[in-house]
């Protein structure tokens, strides 16, 4: 019987060999860190305070913004840290 759930990770974006190893290492570290969810919430709170009334998605390409919002919507039921600050 397997006590560890199976996880699949897909890194999306430009694949620059010089940074790919660090990206994989960072993802695995976050998955293995028992404090990861707490850290995520703290980082988001700090980010939202700095952002103020600005919407970060207004600062990037509209197509990228749309993709980000669709991804957040799809994953938010499973990741509490993706919920908006009002939730």
């Amino acid at each position: 019987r397997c006590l560890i759930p199976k996880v699949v990770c897909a890194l999306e974006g430009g694949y620059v060999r010089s940074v790919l190893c660090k990206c994989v290492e960072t993802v695995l570290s976050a998955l293995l860190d028992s404090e990861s969810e707490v850290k995520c919430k703290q980082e988001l709170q700090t980010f939202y305070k700095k952002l103020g009334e600005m919407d970060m998605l207004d600062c990037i390409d509209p197509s990228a913004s749309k993709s980000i919002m669709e991804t957040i919507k799809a994953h938010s039921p499973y990741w509490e840290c993706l919920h908006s600050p009002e939730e």
Side-chain angles (χ1 to χ4, degrees):
R1 202 172 135 174
C2 182
L3 297 176
I4 301 172
K6 295 178 182 178
V7 176
V8 174
C9 293
L11 297 177
E12 179 53 39
Y15 298 99
V16 178
R17 289 181 144 179
S18 62
V19 296
L20 183 57
C21 181
K22 184 63 178 171
C23 293
V24 172
E25 179 183 333
T26 302
V27 169
L28 291 174
S29 293
L31 289 172
L32 295 171
D33 184 354
S34 63
E35 296 295 316
S36 189
E37 185 175 351
V38 172
K39 290 176 185 176
C40 177
K41 287 180 182 180
Q42 291 170 342
E43 289 175 12
L44 279 174
Q45 287 174 349
T46 300
F47 173 76
Y48 285 125
K49 284 180 187 175
K50 288 182 181 178
L51 192 61
E53 295 299 315
M54 296 184 322
D55 186 341
M56 71 173 174
L57 296 178
D58 290 337
C59 303
I60 62 174
D61 182 88
S63 175
S65 177
K66 182 180 180 217
S67 294
I68 290 169
M69 291 308 298
E70 288 173 357
T71 301
I72 290 172
K73 183 178 178 182
H75 289 270
S76 65
Y78 313 102
W79 294 90
E80 188 176 317
C81 65
L82 291 178
H83 296 176
S84 65
E86 296 85 39
E87 292 182 42

